[in-house]
Amino acid sequence: MTQQTPSEPLLQVAPSPHLHASHLSTQRVMLDVLIALIPVCAVSCWVFRWYALKQLVLCELTALLTETLCAALRRRKSPVWDLSASVTAVLLALSLPWNAPAYIAIIATVVAIGLGKAAFGGLGFNLFNPAMVGRAFVMLSFAREMGASGYVAQVPGLDVISQATPLTAAKQYVAALASGATVADSVQTAFQNIPPLSDLFLGIANGSLGETSVGAICLGGLYLCIRKTIAREIPVCMLLTAAAMLGLMQLLGFTDDGFGALHHLGSGALFLGAFFIATDPVTSPLTRRGRCIFAAGLGALICLFRALSSYPEGVMFAVLFMNAMVPLINRYTIRKPIGGPVPGSAASPKA
Amino acid sequence: MQEPTAGERFLNGLLPENPTYRQMLGLCATLAVTNGVKPAFTMACSTGFVLICANAMISLMRKHLQPHLRILIFTLTIATFVTVVDRLLQAFFYPMSQQLGPYVPLIIVNCIIISRCEVCASKQSLPIAIADAVGQTLGFLIGLVSLASLRELLGNGTWCEFEILPQSWPRWRILMLPPGAFITFGLTLGFIEWFVHRKQRA
């Protein structure tokens, strides 16, 4: 038997119809995602100035280097031209705080590409979303730089970053109210200074680099939906579940009325996660029903994490958790062939 | 195939059949206690004591073992020595005993010990059984301390609670946490596999 490298299959398999399947190459899909990310990056660079640019460039360079190095270790040609490493790098950079030191961006990217993807055998074999693996690694390692205080600083000319992120401010305020003690002045001020919904839509708010502007994210997301690059049911299911949960939580009094369901929807990485992170084709289920379950689980988990965990935001952990569920979901949502399973076969319910 | 001599059994335990990296036994304890060099060292010594004593004891009574009762006898013998170690640690190293928690009593179910009893001690004479146990003990010590050194140095900047890296060096806290155990072990294992394969090919 001849030795075959797994990365170069004999048969190129693409879904039918095959006449115009050229747009379904990995490279084209990844290019679409990169194009869709342009508005998000632009807003990010407008709001956070060169801090955003710095993180983007750092992550991108590190990703390309790591990808090439990992391929060289396995004596393969560098797969940087499939652009998947670039997408991972941009998503990772957009999920970092603007103030994260350079070593955090570099470590996160090396872990994302090296541990999150290459260690599993490269693109298509990874269980978990690489960008989120990288972020989780630095989040757990460098809690101070990545936590709430990592977002706040006084820089002249950049007013946005002098306030806590909306979710952190809300979390601290609700926690202070719940504990029964008097609310500290700083917490009170931060809560009152939470930007209005219009600012959250435009992106004039503190937060991770790419998560602030709902408008820009929706613009990119719509492009992806129209191009059919991503499975539309994922953002739809995820946002609907999250909206329902958040509405319920507001009714039940888990959130403060000053920071209700709409504010919760507009802040944090919910939209970025829904359009760009959860839709990673490798780490989401194969069937439509499976993707709906996956997305609904994500939306529900994010709300639970926001309300009940000690972290203000839960997109990262929710994505990693649901990624782990994907093989199970795939197993339970196998489509039955038309006409039902063949009688007497192993797939038939009554053997 | 010729039976290995006592010396060969001893050397086998160190690297070629290293319990952690080659046999991959006793991983529960390995992953749990390697967040510091001190607990790792204590764990390896405790396990080593039980392993050597149990191997010696089993080897002495190997003529009287009934095949269908042997596992029971192994477990009873091991449990006896584990109780001794547990009490010793509680008496003289109370903080360490608290830190290791349930993992000292869990030495009873450590697969390294029962596998050595089954593979070697129940069939070989006393000197061979002891040489085998000492080799495996040192192999386990190498495995645990190497993992713990990596995790403690990168995760906390210290080695054996002795400050090595400057304060300005960022601490990779995740390596001190449970996920760090899996990440470090996986990467080290991968590196060693790669090294062994390269040597075999050459």
Side-chain angles (χ1 to χ4, degrees):
Chain A
M1 213 177 128
T2 51
Q3 282 277 317
Q4 279 169 22
T5 50
S7 69
E8 290 159 43
L10 281 178
L11 276 174
Q12 292 288 347
V13 184
S16 56
H18 293 279
L19 275 177
H20 297 288
S22 59
H23 69 283
L24 275 170
S25 68
T26 309
Q27 190 184 16
R28 180 65 226 192
V29 169
M30 294 297 165
L31 187 66
D32 268 348
V33 179
L34 281 182
I35 292 172
L37 280 168
I38 288 174
V40 189
C41 294
V43 171
S44 184
C45 289
W46 170 57
V47 176
F48 296 103
R49 311 287 158 77
W50 72 281
Y51 292 105
L53 198 65
K54 185 187 81 174
Q55 305 285 36
L56 282 167
V57 171
L58 257 179
C59 285
E60 192 63 54
L61 286 181
T62 319
L64 297 184
L65 264 177
T66 316
E67 182 92 328
T68 311
L69 200 71
C70 286
L73 276 178
R74 310 172 70 197
R75 299 205 172 72
R76 300 260 169 88
K77 247 183 12 207
S78 174
V80 291
W81 292 115
D82 72 12
L83 296 179
S84 69
S86 304
V87 169
T88 301
V90 173
L91 284 176
L92 182 63
L94 291 179
S95 74
L96 291 176
W98 60 274
N99 198 18
Y103 65 83
I104 286 190
I106 292 172
I107 291 174
T109 318
V110 171
V111 169
I113 304 287
L115 269 186
K117 201 168 74 174
F120 285 94
L123 182 70
F125 297 95
N126 46 315
L127 266 184
F128 299 98
N129 188 314
M132 292 299 103
V133 171
R135 187 172 196 272
F137 189 90
V138 288
M139 179 95 183
L140 294 176
S141 290
F142 312 110
R144 189 160 39 90
E145 289 86 348
M146 292 289 293
S149 59
Y151 287 91
V152 186
Q154 304 293 339
V155 176
L158 264 178
D159 292 337
V160 169
I161 55 177
S162 61
Q163 297 294 338
T165 62
L167 281 176
T168 307
K171 179 119 206 156
Q172 286 172 346
Y173 185 69
V174 172
L177 281 184
S179 71
T182 48
V183 181
D185 278 348
S186 58
V187 176
Q188 187 88 44
T189 334
F191 187 70
Q192 276 156 5
N193 279 333
I194 287 178
L197 281 176
S198 57
D199 279 3
L200 289 179
F201 184 80
L202 284 176
I204 312 170
N206 199 356
S208 300
L209 289 174
E211 71 180 22
T212 54
S213 171
V214 174
I217 295 166
C218 286
L219 196 66
L222 277 180
Y223 170 76
L224 289 181
C225 287
I226 291 168
R227 293 264 321 159
K228 297 188 183 168
T229 309
I230 60 174
R232 275 163 290 185
E233 53 270 20
I234 290 182
V236 170
C237 267
M238 186 170 156
L239 292 173
L240 282 181
T241 317
M245 284 276 292
L246 288 167
L248 198 69
M249 272 159 41
Q250 191 178 6
L251 286 180
L252 293 176
F254 276 101
T255 55
D256 190 82
D257 281 343
F259 193 83
L262 278 178
H263 259 94
H264 254 295
L265 270 181
S267 47
L270 190 61
F271 272 79
L272 188 72
F275 282 111
F276 291 100
I277 295 170
T279 52
D280 173 12
V282 177
T283 55
S284 54
L286 298 168
T287 58
R288 172 167 290 184
R289 202 152 59 91
R291 284 194 290 263
C292 289
I293 298 172
F294 171 77
L298 267 177
L301 271 180
I302 289 169
C303 301
L304 284 181
F305 282 141
R306 281 190 186 180
L308 303 175
S309 81
S310 57
Y311 290 102
E313 174 62 300
V315 171
M316 174 184 72
F317 289 121
V319 168
L320 289 176
F321 184 88
M322 289 310 287
N323 280 167
M325 296 290 129
V326 165
L328 198 66
I329 297 175
N330 276 339
R331 205 186 149 83
Y332 279 103
T333 56
I334 297 173
R335 268 178 293 193
K336 289 202 181 70
I338 295 169
V342 184
S345 76
S348 149
K350 295 179 281 185
Chain B
M1 210 177 88
Q2 215 175 359
E3 276 290 314
T5 62
E8 279 167 1
R9 281 185 186 273
F10 171 77
L11 288 178
N12 262 348
L14 292 183
L15 292 176
E17 284 177 27
N18 187 296
T20 308
Y21 291 124
R22 302 299 294 158
Q23 301 182 59
M24 285 185 262
L25 293 177
L27 289 187
C28 173
T30 306
L31 295 170
V33 303
T34 49
N35 55 358
V37 174
K38 272 187 182 171
F41 189 76
T42 317
M43 187 68 195
C45 290
S46 315
T47 312
F49 170 78
V50 177
L51 177 57
I52 294 168
C53 292
N55 253 17
M57 188 72 106
I58 296 290
S59 171
L60 285 177
M61 58 168 121
R62 68 184 185 281
K63 299 269 163 57
H64 306 287
L65 284 177
Q66 300 294 318
H68 62 293
L69 288 177
R70 67 184 197 289
I71 301 286
L72 180 71
I73 301 294
F74 294 165
T75 317
L76 275 176
T77 318
I78 295 165
T80 313
F81 290 113
V82 170
T83 313
V84 173
V85 166
D86 196 22
R87 293 288 151 166
L88 268 177
L89 281 178
Q90 280 177 16
F92 296 106
F93 304 96
Y94 187 66
M96 184 49 77
S97 159
Q98 290 298 97
Q99 194 183 342
L100 288 176
Y103 292 101
V104 176
L106 279 176
I107 294 175
I108 296 175
V109 289
N110 193 318
C111 302
I112 301 172
I113 305 177
I114 213 154
S115 87
R116 289 340 284 179
C117 287
E118 170 77 13
V119 171
C120 177
S122 61
K123 296 179 187 123
Q124 306 291 335
S125 62
L126 186 61
I128 293 184
I130 289 183
D132 183 75
V134 173
Q136 294 289 330
T137 301
L138 289 178
F140 192 51
L141 186 76
I142 293 172
L144 283 196
V145 170
S146 59
L147 276 179
S149 305
L150 274 176
R151 287 180 65 190
E152 200 185 329
L153 191 66
L154 286 176
N156 205 25
T158 57
W159 194 80
C160 229
E161 290 166 25
F162 182 73
E163 187 102 16
I164 302 271
L165 296 174
Q167 277 299 327
S168 53
W169 178 262
R171 282 9 180 187
W172 302 21
R173 290 276 169 214
I174 190 174
L175 293 185
M176 299 288 282
L177 304 172
F182 288 95
I183 293 173
T184 320
F185 182 61
L187 288 180
T188 328
L189 195 63
F191 177 75
I192 287 174
E193 284 291 316
W194 171 76
F195 187 75
V196 169
H197 279 282
R198 212 181 63 141
K199 225 170 65 175
Q200 280 171 355
R201 241 184 288 142

